[in-house]
Amino acid sequence: DTAVSQTPKYLVTQMGNDKSIKCEQNLGHDTMYWYKQDSKKFLKIMFSYNNKELIINETVPNRFSPKSPDKAHLNLHINSLELGDSAVYFCASSQGGGLETQYFGPGTRLLVL
Amino acid sequence: DQQVKQNSPSLSVQEGRISILNCDYTNSMFDYFLWYKKYPAEGPTFLISISSIKDKNEDGRFTVFLNKSAKHLSLHIVPSQPGDSAVYFCAAGTPGNTPLVFGKGTRLSVIA
């Protein structure tokens, strides 16, 4: 009964490919997030959705497109993958946005070759 | 531009002793601070938080202290246990839909 799940856990792909990472939460939360943890270990927010609507979009290239089919899912599609996209991507959710406690998924380790 | 800094990448402590993890911030608008704990191959999990109206918050073995004038907070774990070995992230936020800002994390190793 995982609260926030992500698939796949590992993703190895070639430069230029398009890939998607899926996220699902069964906590009944209204808000979902995507974070990127790069090689320098910073955990930085990319997007935040509240009830399927985009709330936060932090200077992320257009190649990254989040999609929220319903409030329990927030998928991340990445076009034309680049070497610098290699990172760990974490999905999270919270009841409401702002300072509510966020619950994180296990992460997706993306390696672009 | 690191608004939240955890200057110690790692810390080793003997079991039973106190672990003190430090965090500094630069943005005086931050008024809510959180600590998350992360085990390998897992996502961060919420540990403890403090709002700027308090200078201390305690939850079992974990205590967070906030010094607003110094823009500094610390997490104390006492007594430290081997299961506390993890990466600890400090995060800060402001009310509204502004994102949390995380530090780089400090890896704590508790040695038996």
Side-chain angles (χ1 to χ4, degrees), chain A residues 9-10 35 37 40-45 48 50 55-56 58 90 96-107 109, chain B residues 2 4 31-32 34 36 38 40-46 89 92-105:
Chain A
K9 219 168 175 182
Y10 299 95
Y35 285 86
Q37 186 181 27
K40 294 182 180 173
K41 304 300 182 189
F42 282 107
L43 196 60
K44 289 183 184 172
I45 191 157
S48 163
N50 181 271
I55 302 296
I56 294 171
E58 290 283 308
F90 289 99
L99 304 174
E100 295 290 332
T101 299
Q102 296 181 21
Y103 295 79
F104 284 80
R109 282 140 194 85
Chain B
Q2 295 178 50
V4 177
D31 66 357
Y32 194 72
L34 308 92
Y36 279 80
K38 183 184 177 306
E42 293 183 13
T45 54
F46 171 74
F89 289 96
T94 55
N97 283 318
T98 52
L100 286 179
V101 180
F102 284 80
K104 288 171 73 169

Coordinates of all heavy atoms in Angstrom, one line a residue, chain A residues 9-10 35 37 40-45 48 50 55-56 58 90 96-107 109, chain B residues 2 4 31-32 34 36 38 40-46 89 92-105:
Chain A
K9 N 11.7 2.7 -11.8 CA 12.6 3.1 -10.7 C 14.0 3.5 -11.4 O 14.7 4.4 -10.8 CB 12.8 1.9 -9.8 CG 12.9 2.4 -8.3 CD 12.8 1.2 -7.4 CE 13.1 1.8 -6.0 NZ 13.0 0.7 -5.0
Y10 N 14.3 2.8 -12.4 CA 15.6 3.1 -13.1 C 15.2 3.3 -14.6 O 14.4 2.6 -15.2 CB 16.6 2.0 -13.0 CG 17.0 1.7 -11.6 CD1 16.3 0.7 -10.8 CD2 18.0 2.4 -11.0 CE1 16.7 0.5 -9.5 CE2 18.4 2.2 -9.7 CZ 17.7 1.2 -9.0 OH 18.1 1.0 -7.6
Y35 N 10.3 16.9 -8.4 CA 11.6 17.5 -8.0 C 12.7 16.8 -8.8 O 12.6 15.6 -9.1 CB 11.9 17.2 -6.5 CG 11.1 18.0 -5.5 CD1 9.8 17.6 -5.1 CD2 11.7 19.2 -5.0 CE1 9.2 18.4 -4.2 CE2 11.0 19.9 -4.0 CZ 9.7 19.5 -3.6 OH 9.1 20.3 -2.7
Q37 N 16.8 15.9 -8.3 CA 18.1 15.9 -7.5 C 19.2 15.6 -8.4 O 19.4 14.5 -8.9 CB 18.0 14.9 -6.4 CG 19.2 15.0 -5.5 CD 19.2 14.0 -4.4 OE1 18.7 12.9 -4.5 NE2 19.8 14.3 -3.2
K40 N 24.9 17.4 -7.9 CA 25.3 18.2 -6.7 C 24.5 18.0 -5.5 O 24.7 18.6 -4.5 CB 25.4 19.7 -7.1 CG 26.4 20.0 -8.1 CD 26.5 21.5 -8.4 CE 27.5 21.8 -9.5 NZ 27.5 23.2 -9.9
K41 N 23.5 17.1 -5.7 CA 22.6 16.7 -4.6 C 21.5 17.7 -4.2 O 20.8 17.4 -3.2 CB 23.4 16.3 -3.3 CG 24.5 15.2 -3.6 CD 23.8 14.0 -4.1 CE 24.9 12.9 -4.3 NZ 24.3 11.7 -5.0
F42 N 21.5 18.8 -4.9 CA 20.4 19.7 -4.5 C 19.0 19.1 -5.0 O 18.9 18.5 -6.0 CB 20.5 21.1 -5.3 CG 21.5 22.0 -4.6 CD1 22.7 22.2 -5.2 CD2 21.2 22.6 -3.5 CE1 23.7 23.0 -4.7 CE2 22.1 23.4 -2.9 CZ 23.4 23.7 -3.5
L43 N 18.0 19.3 -4.1 CA 16.7 18.8 -4.4 C 15.9 20.0 -4.8 O 15.6 20.9 -4.0 CB 16.1 18.1 -3.2 CG 14.9 17.3 -3.3 CD1 15.1 16.1 -4.2 CD2 14.5 16.8 -1.9
K44 N 15.6 20.1 -6.1 CA 14.9 21.4 -6.6 C 13.6 21.1 -7.2 O 13.4 20.1 -8.0 CB 15.8 22.0 -7.7 CG 17.1 22.6 -7.2 CD 17.8 23.3 -8.3 CE 19.2 23.8 -7.8 NZ 20.0 24.4 -8.9
I45 N 12.6 21.9 -6.9 CA 11.3 21.7 -7.4 C 11.3 22.0 -8.9 O 12.0 23.0 -9.3 CB 10.2 22.5 -6.6 CG1 8.8 22.0 -7.1 CG2 10.4 24.0 -6.9 CD1 7.8 22.3 -6.1
S48 N 4.6 22.0 -9.7 CA 3.6 21.7 -8.7 C 2.2 21.8 -9.3 O 1.9 22.7 -10.1 CB 3.7 22.6 -7.5 OG 2.6 22.6 -6.7
N50 N -2.0 21.5 -8.5 CA -3.1 21.4 -7.4 C -4.4 21.1 -8.2 O -4.8 21.9 -9.0 CB -3.2 22.7 -6.7 CG -4.2 22.6 -5.6 OD1 -5.4 23.0 -5.8 ND2 -3.8 22.2 -4.4
I55 N 0.5 24.9 -10.8 CA 0.7 26.0 -9.8 C 2.1 26.6 -9.9 O 2.3 27.8 -9.8 CB 0.4 25.5 -8.4 CG1 -1.0 24.9 -8.3 CG2 0.6 26.6 -7.4 CD1 -2.1 25.9 -8.5
I56 N 3.1 25.7 -9.9 CA 4.5 26.2 -9.9 C 5.2 25.6 -11.1 O 5.0 24.4 -11.4 CB 5.2 25.7 -8.6 CG1 4.6 26.4 -7.4 CG2 6.7 26.0 -8.7 CD1 5.2 25.8 -6.1
E58 N 9.0 26.0 -12.3 CA 10.3 26.6 -12.0 C 11.3 26.5 -13.2 O 11.9 25.4 -13.3 CB 10.9 26.0 -10.7 CG 10.2 26.3 -9.5 CD 10.5 27.7 -9.0 OE1 11.6 28.1 -8.8 OE2 9.5 28.5 -8.7
F90 N 12.1 12.9 -8.2 CA 11.2 12.5 -7.2 C 9.9 13.2 -7.4 O 9.8 14.4 -7.6 CB 11.7 13.0 -5.8 CG 12.9 12.2 -5.3 CD1 14.2 12.8 -5.4 CD2 12.8 11.0 -4.7 CE1 15.3 12.1 -5.0 CE2 13.9 10.3 -4.2 CZ 15.2 10.9 -4.4
G96 N -3.1 20.0 0.1 CA -2.9 21.4 0.0 C -1.5 21.7 -0.4 O -0.6 20.8 -0.3
G97 N -1.2 22.9 -0.8 CA 0.1 23.3 -1.2 C 0.8 24.0 0.0 O 0.6 23.7 1.1
G98 N 1.7 24.9 -0.4 CA 2.4 25.7 0.6 C 3.2 24.9 1.5 O 4.1 24.2 1.1
L99 N 3.0 25.0 2.8 CA 3.8 24.4 3.8 C 3.3 23.1 4.3 O 3.8 22.6 5.3 CB 4.0 25.4 5.0 CG 4.6 26.8 4.5 CD1 4.6 27.8 5.7 CD2 5.9 26.6 3.9
E100 N 2.4 22.5 3.7 CA 1.9 21.2 4.1 C 3.0 20.2 3.9 O 3.8 20.2 3.0 CB 0.7 20.8 3.3 CG -0.5 21.6 3.5 CD -1.2 21.4 4.8 OE1 -1.0 20.3 5.4 OE2 -1.8 22.4 5.3
T101 N 3.0 19.2 4.8 CA 4.0 18.1 4.7 C 3.9 17.4 3.4 O 2.8 17.0 3.0 CB 3.8 17.1 5.8 OG1 4.0 17.8 7.1 CG2 4.9 16.0 5.8
Q102 N 5.1 17.2 2.7 CA 5.1 16.5 1.4 C 5.6 15.1 1.7 O 6.5 14.8 2.4 CB 6.1 17.3 0.5 CG 5.6 18.7 0.2 CD 6.4 19.4 -0.8 OE1 7.2 18.8 -1.5 NE2 6.3 20.7 -0.8
Y103 N 4.9 14.2 0.9 CA 5.3 12.8 1.0 C 5.9 12.4 -0.4 O 5.3 12.7 -1.4 CB 4.0 11.9 1.2 CG 3.4 12.2 2.6 CD1 2.6 13.3 2.8 CD2 3.6 11.3 3.6 CE1 2.1 13.6 4.0 CE2 3.1 11.6 4.9 CZ 2.3 12.7 5.1 OH 1.8 12.9 6.3
F104 N 7.1 11.9 -0.3 CA 7.9 11.6 -1.5 C 7.8 10.2 -2.0 O 7.7 9.3 -1.2 CB 9.3 12.0 -1.3 CG 9.6 13.4 -1.2 CD1 9.4 14.2 -0.1 CD2 10.2 14.1 -2.4 CE1 9.7 15.5 -0.1 CE2 10.5 15.4 -2.3 CZ 10.2 16.2 -1.2
G105 N 7.9 10.0 -3.3 CA 8.0 8.7 -3.9 C 9.5 8.3 -3.8 O 10.3 9.0 -3.3
P106 N 9.8 7.0 -4.2 CA 11.1 6.5 -4.0 C 12.2 7.0 -5.0 O 13.3 6.8 -4.9 CB 10.9 5.0 -4.3 CG 9.7 4.9 -5.2 CD 8.9 6.1 -4.8
G107 N 11.7 7.8 -6.0 CA 12.6 8.3 -7.0 C 12.8 7.5 -8.2 O 12.6 6.3 -8.2
R109 N 15.7 7.0 -11.1 CA 17.1 7.3 -11.5 C 17.2 7.3 -13.0 O 17.1 6.2 -13.6 CB 18.0 6.3 -10.8 CG 18.3 6.6 -9.4 CD 18.3 5.4 -8.5 NE 18.2 5.8 -7.1 CZ 17.0 5.9 -6.4 NH1 15.9 5.8 -7.1 NH2 17.0 6.3 -5.2
Chain B
Q2 N 22.4 29.7 -3.2 CA 21.9 28.7 -2.2 C 21.2 29.5 -1.1 O 21.9 30.1 -0.3 CB 23.0 27.9 -1.6 CG 23.8 27.0 -2.6 CD 24.9 26.3 -1.9 OE1 24.7 25.7 -0.9 NE2 26.1 26.4 -2.5
V4 N 19.4 28.0 1.1 CA 19.4 27.1 2.3 C 20.7 26.3 2.2 O 21.0 25.6 1.2 CB 18.2 26.1 2.3 CG1 18.3 25.1 3.4 CG2 16.9 26.9 2.4
D31 N 9.6 31.4 6.8 CA 9.1 31.4 8.1 C 8.6 30.0 8.6 O 8.0 29.9 9.6 CB 7.9 32.4 8.3 CG 6.7 32.0 7.4 OD1 6.8 31.0 6.7 OD2 5.7 32.7 7.5
Y32 N 9.0 29.0 7.8 CA 8.7 27.7 8.2 C 9.8 26.8 7.7 O 10.3 26.9 6.6 CB 7.4 27.3 7.5 CG 6.7 26.0 8.1 CD1 6.1 26.0 9.3 CD2 6.7 24.8 7.4 CE1 5.5 24.9 9.8 CE2 6.1 23.7 7.9 CZ 5.5 23.7 9.1 OH 4.9 22.6 9.6
L34 N 11.7 22.8 7.8 CA 11.4 21.3 8.0 C 12.7 20.6 7.8 O 13.7 21.0 7.2 CB 10.5 20.9 6.8 CG 9.2 21.6 6.6 CD1 9.4 22.7 5.6 CD2 8.1 20.7 6.2
Y36 N 13.9 16.7 6.6 CA 13.5 15.4 6.0 C 14.7 14.5 6.1 O 15.8 14.9 6.1 CB 13.2 15.6 4.5 CG 11.8 16.2 4.2 CD1 11.5 17.5 4.3 CD2 10.8 15.3 3.8 CE1 10.3 18.0 4.0 CE2 9.5 15.8 3.5 CZ 9.3 17.1 3.6 OH 8.0 17.6 3.4
K38 N 16.4 10.9 4.6 CA 16.4 10.0 3.4 C 17.3 8.9 3.5 O 18.5 9.0 3.7 CB 16.8 10.9 2.1 CG 16.7 10.1 0.8 CD 17.1 11.0 -0.3 CE 17.1 10.2 -1.6 NZ 17.8 8.9 -1.6
P40 N 19.0 5.4 1.5 CA 19.3 5.1 0.1 C 18.2 4.5 -0.6 O 17.5 3.6 -0.1 CB 20.5 4.2 0.3 CG 21.1 4.5 1.6 CD 19.9 4.9 2.5
A41 N 18.0 4.8 -1.9 CA 17.0 4.3 -2.8 C 15.6 4.5 -2.3 O 14.7 3.8 -2.7 CB 17.3 2.8 -3.0
E42 N 15.4 5.5 -1.4 CA 14.1 5.9 -1.0 C 13.9 7.4 -1.2 O 14.9 8.1 -1.3 CB 13.8 5.5 0.5 CG 13.8 4.0 0.7 CD 13.4 3.6 2.1 OE1 13.0 4.5 2.9 OE2 13.7 2.5 2.5
G43 N 12.6 7.8 -1.1 CA 12.4 9.3 -1.2 C 12.6 9.8 0.2 O 12.5 9.1 1.2
P44 N 12.7 11.2 0.3 CA 12.8 11.8 1.6 C 11.5 11.6 2.4 O 10.4 11.6 1.8 CB 13.0 13.3 1.3 CG 13.5 13.3 -0.1 CD 12.9 12.1 -0.8
T45 N 11.6 11.5 3.7 CA 10.4 11.4 4.6 C 10.5 12.5 5.6 O 11.6 12.8 6.1 CB 10.3 10.1 5.3 OG1 11.5 9.8 6.0 CG2 10.1 8.9 4.3
F46 N 9.3 13.1 5.9 CA 9.3 14.2 6.8 C 9.6 13.8 8.2 O 9.2 12.7 8.7 CB 7.8 14.8 6.8 CG 7.6 15.8 7.9 CD1 8.1 17.1 7.8 CD2 6.8 15.5 9.0 CE1 7.9 18.0 8.8 CE2 6.6 16.4 10.0 CZ 7.1 17.6 9.9
F89 N 17.9 16.4 5.1 CA 17.7 17.6 4.3 C 17.0 18.6 5.2 O 16.0 18.3 5.8 CB 16.9 17.3 3.0 CG 17.6 16.5 2.0 CD1 17.4 15.2 1.9 CD2 18.4 17.2 1.1 CE1 18.0 14.4 0.9 CE2 19.0 16.5 0.1 CZ 18.9 15.1 0.0
A92 N 13.2 25.0 3.7 CA 12.5 26.3 4.2 C 11.5 26.7 3.3 O 11.6 26.5 2.1 CB 13.6 27.3 4.4
G93 N 10.5 27.4 3.8 CA 9.4 27.9 3.0 C 8.7 29.1 3.5 O 9.0 29.5 4.6
T94 N 7.8 29.6 2.7 CA 7.0 30.8 3.1 C 5.6 30.4 2.8 O 5.3 29.5 2.0 CB 7.4 32.0 2.3 OG1 7.3 31.7 0.9 CG2 8.8 32.5 2.6
P95 N 4.6 31.1 3.4 CA 3.2 30.8 3.2 C 2.8 31.0 1.7 O 3.5 31.8 1.0 CB 2.5 31.7 4.1 CG 3.4 32.2 5.1 CD 4.8 32.2 4.4
G96 N 1.8 30.3 1.3 CA 1.3 30.5 -0.1 C 1.9 29.4 -1.0 O 2.5 28.5 -0.5
N97 N 1.7 29.5 -2.2 CA 2.1 28.5 -3.1 C 3.6 28.7 -3.6 O 3.8 28.5 -4.8 CB 1.2 28.4 -4.3 CG -0.1 27.7 -3.9 OD1 -0.1 26.7 -3.3 ND2 -1.2 28.2 -4.4
T98 N 4.4 29.1 -2.8 CA 5.8 29.2 -3.1 C 6.5 27.9 -2.8 O 6.2 27.2 -1.8 CB 6.5 30.3 -2.4 OG1 6.3 30.2 -1.0 CG2 6.0 31.7 -2.9
P99 N 7.5 27.4 -3.6 CA 8.1 26.1 -3.3 C 9.0 26.1 -2.1 O 9.6 27.1 -1.8 CB 8.9 25.9 -4.6 CG 9.2 27.2 -5.2 CD 8.0 28.1 -4.8
L100 N 9.1 24.9 -1.5 CA 10.1 24.7 -0.5 C 11.5 24.8 -1.1 O 11.6 24.4 -2.3 CB 9.9 23.3 0.1 CG 8.7 23.1 1.1 CD1 8.8 21.7 1.6 CD2 8.8 24.1 2.2
V101 N 12.4 25.3 -0.4 CA 13.8 25.3 -0.8 C 14.6 24.3 0.0 O 14.6 24.5 1.3 CB 14.4 26.7 -0.8 CG1 15.9 26.7 -1.2 CG2 13.6 27.7 -1.6
F102 N 15.3 23.4 -0.6 CA 16.0 22.4 0.1 C 17.5 22.7 0.1 O 18.0 23.2 -0.8 CB 15.8 21.0 -0.5 CG 14.4 20.4 -0.2 CD1 13.3 20.8 -0.9 CD2 14.3 19.4 0.7 CE1 12.1 20.2 -0.7 CE2 13.1 18.8 1.0 CZ 12.0 19.2 0.3
G103 N 18.2 22.2 1.2 CA 19.6 22.2 1.2 C 20.1 21.0 0.5 O 19.4 20.2 0.1
K104 N 21.5 20.8 0.5 CA 22.1 19.7 -0.2 C 22.1 18.4 0.6 O 22.4 17.4 0.1 CB 23.5 20.1 -0.5 CG 23.7 21.1 -1.7 CD 25.1 21.5 -1.8 CE 26.0 20.4 -2.4 NZ 27.3 21.0 -2.8
G105 N 21.8 18.6 1.9 CA 21.8 17.4 2.7 C 23.1 17.1 3.5 O 24.1 17.6 3.0

